Amino acid sequence: MIIRGNKTEVELDGVELTDYSNNSQLEFSADSHDVTTYGNDSHVFSGGLLNGNATISGFYDSTAVTGPRAVIKPLVGTVVEFVHRPEGTGTGKPQDVVQALVTKYTQTHPVADIVTWAVDLQFSGDVDSDPQAS
């Protein structure tokens, strides 16, 4: 079944940013180690430590004390909990929960368009991808 992105929910440090967000991207990766030995005609690789990062972005809201700038800017350089629910909240629906280092907060101010924001996160530790419990 194809799922539309409009159901996605995101939280950072216990604060829901869903109402201010219109895009999120998660990347899961692993280190790659070349373990090729003599006699091989091709490289042989072994997987290493897991890694990941995320970017969340959306529209700036100047009226909200709990808006993206007020919530995220003070978190830059700290490790906090990040929750991503691509199908929204509900028993059995997928989610990813991980501690994440907030590496960057960005605001963009185009002259003839809406002010936007983005936050970059570096995963710190294992990602819990168990489905949501009741």
Side-chain angles (χ1 to χ4, degrees):
M1 172 187 290
I2 296 173
I3 303 295
R4 294 185 59 198
N6 68 326
K7 302 291 184 194
T8 302
E9 296 178 1
V10 291
E11 289 180 14
L12 192 61
D13 196 29
V15 177
E16 188 165 338
L17 295 173
T18 303
D19 289 345
Y20 308 103
S21 305
N22 71 344
N23 196 15
S24 57
Q25 175 180 321
L26 279 67
E27 181 177 294
F28 302 92
S29 59
D31 291 340
S32 172
H33 301 288
D34 188 335
V35 294
T36 309
T37 58
Y38 297 130
N40 285 295
D41 291 328
S42 298
H43 283 276
V44 177
F45 293 95
S46 177
L49 295 174
L50 299 178
N51 199 355
N53 57 60
T55 299
I56 310 165
S57 58
F59 299 112
Y60 185 85
D61 186 339
S62 65
T63 62
V65 177
T66 58
R69 178 185 170 99
V71 171
I72 300 167
K73 195 168 177 240
L75 298 177
V76 173
T78 67
V79 175
V80 297
E81 184 177 77
F82 170 58
V83 178
H84 187 267
R85 296 183 179 116
E87 296 178 27
T89 299
T91 301
K93 291 187 177 186
Q95 73 175 354
D96 296 299
V97 180
V98 65
Q99 294 294 304
L101 173 62
V102 181
T103 59
K104 182 168 62 171
Y105 172 74
T106 306
Q107 284 181 200
T108 304
H109 307 265
V111 69
D113 209 342
I114 307 237
V115 175
T116 61
W117 62 271
V119 61
D120 292 336
L121 308 171
Q122 176 69 53
F123 297 168
S124 180
D126 293 336
V127 178
D128 178 354
S129 294
D130 289 337
Q132 297 173 51
S134 57

